[in-house]
Amino acid sequence: MRRVTFDLDVLRTFVTGMELGSFAKAAERLGRSTSAVSAQLKKLEEQAATPIFRKSGRGLALTEAGETMLGYARRLLELNDEAAAAIHDVELEGWVRLGLQEDFGEAVLPEVLGRFARTHPKVKIEARIARSHELAERITAGSLDIALAWHSGASLPYSRHVGDVPMRWIGPAKPIEAGLGEDDTLPLVALEAPCLLRSVATETLDRAGRPWRMAFSSPSLGGIWAAVAAGLGLTIRTDIGLPANVRAMAPEALGLPALPKMALHLHQKDAELDPVAARLADILLQAAIEALPESAETKENLLKVA
């Protein structure tokens, strides 16, 4: 088998296009023409010696080999970027205060801390797991440097939109029997008010004319998962960070109304972050993008080069 050395610039274009859902957007972000991006994708298939893309309607979707390539491309770029950071920021020192919304505590935080600590061992990180409204308040007050949170409606001056994530009805992992709610009244499980997702659930059900009752509330996400797994009711979250004892359900399964998407934002205290916070923000943003679920539309990936 011939040795192949993949071009990291090509892999970066490939990964960026997949994450943005459009190679035209990737070309704009990377400062390349669409024809240059097309040439890079052709080069990638030539190096791989197998098709990476297949036709899907008027766009492109990944082949099985393409899906495998995407995973390896992300790992190669992560190692490359980690090496570059380790060389150039070897003396980086300081302190950074990081906030994460509860869903990302287990799904993102270990990866972020591990990657950052390997390259910046002299930096101290203070992490806080909290709800979105609290994180927004702490950013405004200056007690956090950066925070990854669902958009709570608060207008913050220095925020980046990371992506829109579908909200899902979440039930126990074991199948739900018919008659979950008495007289068609849906039992809800939610965080104590004020809670953005609690409000979305009740308002969505009210608009759909579906009666509901608050069966269980908890100050912590762990309590929510325990109640849902025990069959006390349904809750709404995203696919991010779901434990094994619960599952996302199709809305039509119990005649449930469809749910909107949640905007995920990366907030920062200042317009320009210091080098320590800026580096952690880059790693956090990449980890968040990788944690976002790939919808069926994304997998079919109507990716267009132009």
Side-chain angles (χ1 to χ4, degrees):
M1 180 177 179
R2 68 186 179 93
R3 287 184 178 272
V4 177
T5 302
F6 288 106
D7 187 321
L8 288 175
D9 282 337
V10 172
L11 294 182
R12 195 175 300 280
T13 297
F14 174 49
V15 170
T16 302
M18 297 302 295
E19 289 174 348
L20 294 178
S22 164
F23 284 118
K25 291 180 181 177
E28 182 178 350
R29 171 165 302 184
L30 298 173
R32 295 189 174 95
S33 66
T34 53
S35 59
V37 167
S38 297
Q40 285 189 312
L41 298 179
K42 182 179 179 181
K43 178 180 179 179
L44 180 60
E45 287 199 317
E46 290 173 350
Q47 288 186 315
T50 188
I52 298 298
F53 303 100
R54 60 180 175 82
K55 289 287 186 181
S56 178
R58 289 182 292 178
L60 297 173
L62 290 178
T63 62
E64 185 174 343
E67 291 176 352
T68 300
M69 172 62 73
L70 182 59
Y72 278 105
R74 283 173 171 154
R75 289 166 58 188
L76 287 167
L77 289 171
E78 178 184 322
L79 187 59
N80 175 83
D81 295 346
E82 187 176 304
I87 294 169
H88 295 292
D89 298 333
V90 67
E91 296 301 323
L92 200 62
E93 298 182 46
W95 179 43
V96 62
R97 300 161 301 175
L98 164 68
L100 283 174
Q101 206 278 335
E102 291 176 287
D103 303 76
F104 293 89
E106 294 183 8
V108 170
L109 186 57
E111 171 71 12
V112 170
L113 294 181
R115 287 173 59 180
F116 191 80
R118 285 194 298 272
T119 53
H120 310 297
K122 297 181 181 180
V123 175
K124 177 184 176 182
I125 300 176
E126 179 184 301
R128 184 173 187 87
I129 307 296
R131 298 198 210 175
S132 297
H133 69 274
E134 180 182 339
L135 295 176
E137 289 171 358
R138 287 179 174 272
I139 286 286
T140 301
S143 59
L144 288 176
D145 296 303
I146 54 176
L148 184 68
W150 302 120
H151 181 48
S152 62
S155 178
L156 300 182
Y158 311 119
S159 292
R160 279 187 281 176
H161 179 252
V162 179
D164 295 312
V165 188
M167 284 187 277
R168 307 287 300 276
W169 291 103
I170 308 297
K174 60 183 180 181
I176 294 179
E177 301 294 335
L180 179 64
E182 298 175 4
D183 301 324
D184 202 35
T185 299
L186 184 71
L188 284 179
V189 173
L191 290 171
E192 294 175 349
C195 171
L196 177 62
L197 278 78
R198 177 185 179 125
S199 298
V200 170
T202 57
E203 291 169 5
T204 300
L205 290 169
D206 286 343
R207 283 196 299 269
R210 177 72 183 266
W212 56 271
R213 62 182 176 85
M214 194 58 63
F216 182 91
S217 63
S218 170
S220 71
L221 190 55
I224 297 301
W225 297 142
V228 172
L232 299 186
L234 303 184
T235 193
I236 67 169
R237 304 303 295 180
T238 69
D239 287 308
I240 298 169
L242 294 184
N245 56 358
V246 303
R247 65 185 175 96
M249 305 175 61
E252 60 271 15
L254 295 173
L256 300 170
L259 294 165
K261 293 183 178 182
M262 288 276 284
L264 182 63
H265 283 203
L266 180 66
H267 305 307
Q268 56 188 61
K269 178 172 65 74
D270 301 310
E272 295 293 331
L273 294 173
D274 63 55
V276 173
R279 178 60 186 145
L280 182 58
D282 288 341
I283 293 176
L284 179 61
L285 186 61
Q286 184 61 37
I289 291 172
E290 292 172 2
L292 295 181
E294 293 187 359
S295 65
E297 180 181 356
T298 301
K299 288 191 175 182
E300 278 305 309
N301 229 345
L302 303 179
L303 292 168
K304 297 183 179 173
V305 175

